[in-house]
């Protein structure tokens, strides 16, 4: 008999007033008993609607049945047929709009905690299995992968398993892309990402860091070095600003810079070599996951007031509901229906405030969300010492500008032929945020997988 409890087995978390002062993981993970209890809520639907909500089509009832039977190696085996990053996706996938949104248990009550179970199985495997991956038989062909984010890591792993000699070229000094420089430690511990990268190296993937393709080497040079195909997984790391007066004042950051300093450079540590100014009043402009991460980091660095300034309402916020709830619990102040107009500074060029205008919601725009309409005469000043712009990113144009024959759209995203990731340049494939613009980990991973299969097909036929 399935467990008909209407609610998910709750996830143990650090108390809000403790966790908003440390960078340790917020969600502590299920115990074995909790995982089995939650797995028993799955009805094992024959038509598997939840699977249609997963971009990589994980056999969700299949792995959950194994958890319910207490067969954790079996559960991991089912997961690993479709995903190479289950510990990551179980933590950061927007499950509520993907697999869990289609779960039949969610029609009347709460859906099965698919993400929580995926995380449980992946964590169990990481701490209990010491099996080294079998080294594939080399097929004598070389492929270069640009970028060590989820798209590049997945493409590299799949190609290495097929026997290709794969080298990843990563611009930063650490691998993992946004998983290490963007998403904070309290949502995704970096040791988990490192474990995945170590696994790739054991498979024989060669990882070269501090290699900015377009500067140190070009794509043409990668071909001259004997690579027969190249995968571009360089993400969308170029921040956008609003173009309002005062954005170049001291104390105005892009969310990317702020989060990179904290996560990658570990500026939150007392003995950090690259410390960051610890402001008392911080405004984060934007309403996505990136804005929530920046606001929660600012709070953990000791800010007394942290504002999320967002021009639409709470319902229109693109951030994951769980992240918004966690931010509210941690004391972040939401100033919705508010749009910044100007950043104010003192005689030293340091930010002191922000002029904002109140908004109301008008007609829906192209995205289907109601547009903010500024209310005349509603301007007010918010006193702040730092401002973090989190209104989106686009791909860095470096690779495009140094690679003849590559096509991009008007947002700078590489143009590819459907799922194969094939670009306008023969032998060059692309996927992840570099193609879609800022999206999700699982979509980037799925793109890396499809491109690896397409590269294999191309080279087999060559
Ligand atoms: P990236 O992860 O950006 O990796 C690209 C890599 O390429 C980087 O390491 C970069 O240094 C490298 N690179 C760039 N240019 C070059 C070059 N010229 N030469 C060599 N290397 C290069 N998604 C979710 O699903 N859930 C979340 O909760 C979530 N939260 C997020 C929070 C933040 C703060 C951010 C910024 C993003 C978040 N996302 C989230 C989005 C998700 O992380 C991205 O969609 C995903 O990482 C994209 O993967 P990618 O491999 O395409 O690119
Ligand atoms: Fe759900 Fe993401 Fe796991 Fe797919 S990868 S089953 S969408 S949590
Ligand atoms: Fe289980 Fe929900 Fe999927 Fe049905 S839809 S198989 S209950 S996870």
């Amino acid at each position: 008999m399935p467990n008909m409890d209407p609610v998910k087995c709750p996830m143990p978390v650090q108390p809000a007033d403790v966790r908003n002062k440390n960078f340790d993981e917020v969600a502590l993970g299920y115990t074995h008993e909790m995982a089995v209890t939650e797995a028993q809520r799955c009805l094992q639907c024959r038509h598997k609607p939840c699977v249609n909500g997963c971009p990589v089509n994980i056999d969700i009832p299949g792995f959950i049945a194994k958890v319910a039977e207490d067969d954790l190696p079996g559960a991991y085996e089912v997961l690993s047929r479709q995903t190479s990053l289950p510990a990551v996706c179980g933590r950061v996938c927007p499950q509520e709009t993907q697999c869990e949104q289609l779960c039949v248990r969610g029609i009347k009550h709460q859906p099965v905690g698919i993400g929580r179970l995926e995380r449980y199985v992946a964590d169990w495997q990481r701490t209990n299995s010491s099996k080294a991956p079998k080294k594939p038989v080399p097929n004598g062909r070389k492929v270069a992968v640009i970028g060590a984010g989820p798209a590049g890591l997945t493409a590299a792993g799949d190609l290495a398993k097929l026997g290709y000699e794969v080298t990843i070229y990563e611009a930063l000094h650490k691998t993992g892309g946004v998983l290490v420089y963007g998403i904070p430690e309290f949502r995704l511990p970096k040791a988990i990402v490192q474990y995945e990268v170590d696994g790739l190296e054991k498979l024989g993937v060669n990882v070269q860091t501090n290699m900015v393709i377009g500067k140190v080497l070009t794509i043409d040079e990668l071909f001259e070095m004997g690579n027969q195909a190249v995968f571009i997984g360089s993400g969308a790391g170029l921040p956008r600003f609003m173009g309002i007066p005062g954005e170049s004042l001291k104390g105005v950051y892009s969310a990317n810079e702020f989060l990179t300093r904290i996560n990658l450079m570990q500026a939150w540590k007392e003995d950090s070599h690259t410390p960051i100014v610890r402001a008392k009043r911080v405004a984060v402009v934007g309403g996505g996951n990136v804005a929530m991460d920046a606001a929660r980091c600012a709070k953990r660095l000791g800010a007394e007031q942290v504002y999320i300034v967002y021009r639409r309402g709470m319902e229109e916020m693109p951030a994951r509901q769980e992240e918004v709830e966690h931010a509210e619990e941690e004391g972040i102040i939401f100033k919705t229906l508010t749009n910044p107009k100007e950043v104010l500074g003192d005689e030293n060029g340091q930010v002191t405030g922000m002029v904002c205008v109140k908004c109301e919601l008008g007609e829906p725009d192209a995205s289907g969300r109601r547009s903010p309409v500024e209310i005349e005469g509603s301007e007010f000043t918010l006193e702040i010492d730092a401002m973090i712009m989190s209104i989106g990113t686009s791909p860095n144009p470096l690779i495009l500008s140094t690679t003849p024959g590559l096509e991009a759209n008007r947002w700078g995203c590489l143009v590819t032929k459907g799922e194969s990731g094939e670009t306008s340049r023969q032998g060059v494939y692309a996927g992840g945020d570099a193609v879609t613009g800022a999206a999700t980990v699982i979509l980037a991973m799925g793109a890396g997988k499809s491109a690896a299969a397409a590269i294999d097909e191309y080279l087999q036929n060559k």
Side-chain angles (χ1 to χ4, degrees):
M1 264 294 282
N3 165 6
M4 294 312 287
D5 196 331
V7 295
K8 281 183 197 175
C9 180
M11 170 64 92
V13 289
Q14 282 193 67
D17 60 341
V18 173
R19 69 179 191 240
N20 67 8
K21 297 175 194 65
N22 69 54
F23 276 81
D24 297 339
E25 194 170 13
V26 168
L28 303 173
Y30 276 167
T31 60
H32 181 63
E33 197 186 357
M34 288 171 178
V36 173
T37 306
E38 184 59 22
Q40 287 166 347
R41 290 185 67 235
C42 174
L43 303 178
Q44 292 295 315
C45 313
R46 217 173 317 148
H47 56 301
K48 307 180 182 187
C50 48
V51 177
N52 297 329
C54 172
V56 294
N57 298 110
I58 288 179
D59 176 6
I60 295 166
F63 98 81
I64 293 181
K66 299 279 182 196
V67 179
E69 289 161 16
D70 210 358
D71 174 7
L72 296 179
Y76 186 77
E77 194 276 316
V78 176
L79 277 176
S80 56
R81 280 182 219 151
Q82 302 303 126
T83 168
S84 46
L85 301 171
V88 175
C89 296
R91 283 171 167 82
V92 304
C93 245
Q95 294 112 14
E96 62 282 3
T97 56
Q98 297 185 345
C99 53
E100 292 185 17
Q101 191 177 41
L102 299 184
C103 170
V104 294
R105 291 295 310 261
I107 297 171
K108 286 201 176 146
H109 302 294
Q110 286 190 355
V112 174
I114 300 169
R116 293 175 182 184
L117 289 170
E118 187 170 328
R119 167 191 165 139
Y120 175 75
V121 174
D123 287 357
W124 177 89
Q125 195 275 346
R126 198 174 60 255
T127 42
N128 288 282
S129 166
S130 54
K131 251 202 319 197
K134 226 169 83 189
K135 270 218 169 149
V137 181
N139 66 14
R141 291 169 183 246
K142 278 170 72 170
V143 178
V145 169
I146 304 172
L153 293 177
T154 306
D158 280 16
L159 287 164
K161 283 179 198 153
L162 292 167
Y164 290 94
E165 185 185 331
V166 182
T167 303
I168 301 181
Y169 295 93
E170 166 55 50
L172 295 172
H173 63 281
K174 274 217 170 128
T175 45
V178 169
L179 307 182
V180 293
Y181 80 72
I183 304 181
E185 178 80 18
F186 58 80
R187 277 213 296 135
L188 178 63
K190 304 306 152 222
I192 290 172
V193 183
Q194 193 53 50
Y195 177 84
E196 303 298 345
V197 177
D198 291 347
L200 286 186
E201 288 188 291
K202 282 182 196 151
L203 270 178
V205 173
N206 174 15
V207 181
Q208 295 204 11
T209 50
N210 298 314
M211 291 294 280
V212 184
I213 300 303
K215 286 254 186 237
V216 184
L217 288 171
T218 61
I219 287 188
D220 286 329
E221 284 167 331
L222 291 176
F223 279 111
E224 284 162 22
M225 287 159 65
N227 291 293
Q228 296 185 341
V230 174
F231 174 76
I232 307 173
S234 50
L238 191 70
R240 278 190 213 132
F241 283 86
M242 291 182 76
I244 57 174
E247 274 181 321
S248 53
L249 286 167
K250 276 187 259 172
V252 180
Y253 298 90
S254 69
N256 258 32
E257 180 192 345
F258 184 72
L259 289 168
T260 302
R261 278 168 176 257
I262 293 170
N263 297 317
L264 191 73
M265 315 302 285
Q266 302 198 311
W268 51 278
K269 287 189 174 165
E270 289 300 333
D271 59 349
S272 164
H273 296 301
T274 52
I276 195 165
V277 174
R278 293 174 184 242
K280 290 281 169 239
R281 296 161 303 179
V282 180
V284 179
V285 181
N289 285 325
V290 183
M292 298 306 134
D293 284 342
R296 295 171 74 193
C297 281
K299 188 81 189 169
R300 281 161 172 76
L301 286 177
E304 285 156 14
Q305 276 120 34
V306 182
Y307 305 101
I308 288 279
V309 177
Y310 180 56
R311 60 194 186 133
R312 292 185 163 97
M314 285 307 267
E315 276 184 24
E316 288 76 27
M317 247 182 210
R320 290 189 61 197
Q321 198 188 334
E322 186 180 89
E323 303 313 326
V324 175
E325 282 167 13
H326 279 168
E328 280 182 308
E329 287 164 13
E330 290 169 13
I332 308 299
I333 305 159
F334 284 75
K335 289 208 170 284
T336 52
L337 293 170
T338 302
N339 204 20
K341 299 297 284 181
E342 184 179 353
V343 194
L344 305 173
D346 61 16
E347 62 285 2
N348 299 319
Q350 170 64 43
V351 174
T352 55
M354 191 166 95
V355 178
C356 300
V357 62
K358 293 297 291 175
C359 301
E360 58 191 357
L361 291 178
E363 294 302 311
D365 63 12
S367 72
R369 292 178 303 167
R370 292 178 64 193
S371 318
V373 181
E374 293 181 358
I375 305 171
E376 225 183 291
S378 64
E379 286 82 2
F380 68 97
T381 301
L382 191 64
E383 289 184 3
I384 51 169
D385 319 304
M387 180 179 184
I388 302 166
M389 284 292 183
S390 179
I391 55 167
T393 53
S394 49
N396 189 310
L398 180 62
I399 290 180
L400 187 67
S401 63
T402 52
T403 314
L406 266 191
E407 263 177 40
N409 65 19
R410 65 192 167 108
W411 296 283
C413 298
L414 296 175
V415 174
T416 57
K417 287 185 199 155
E419 283 200 352
S420 71
E422 199 183 329
T423 67
S424 46
R425 173 87 191 259
Q426 201 188 9
V428 180
Y429 293 72
D433 284 5
V435 171
T436 55
T440 63
V441 173
I442 190 71
L443 286 174
M445 212 196 85
K449 242 184 154 32
S450 311
I455 290 172
D456 182 46
E457 196 184 324
Y458 162 70
L459 292 179
Q460 297 272 8
N461 295 329
K462 205 173 167 207

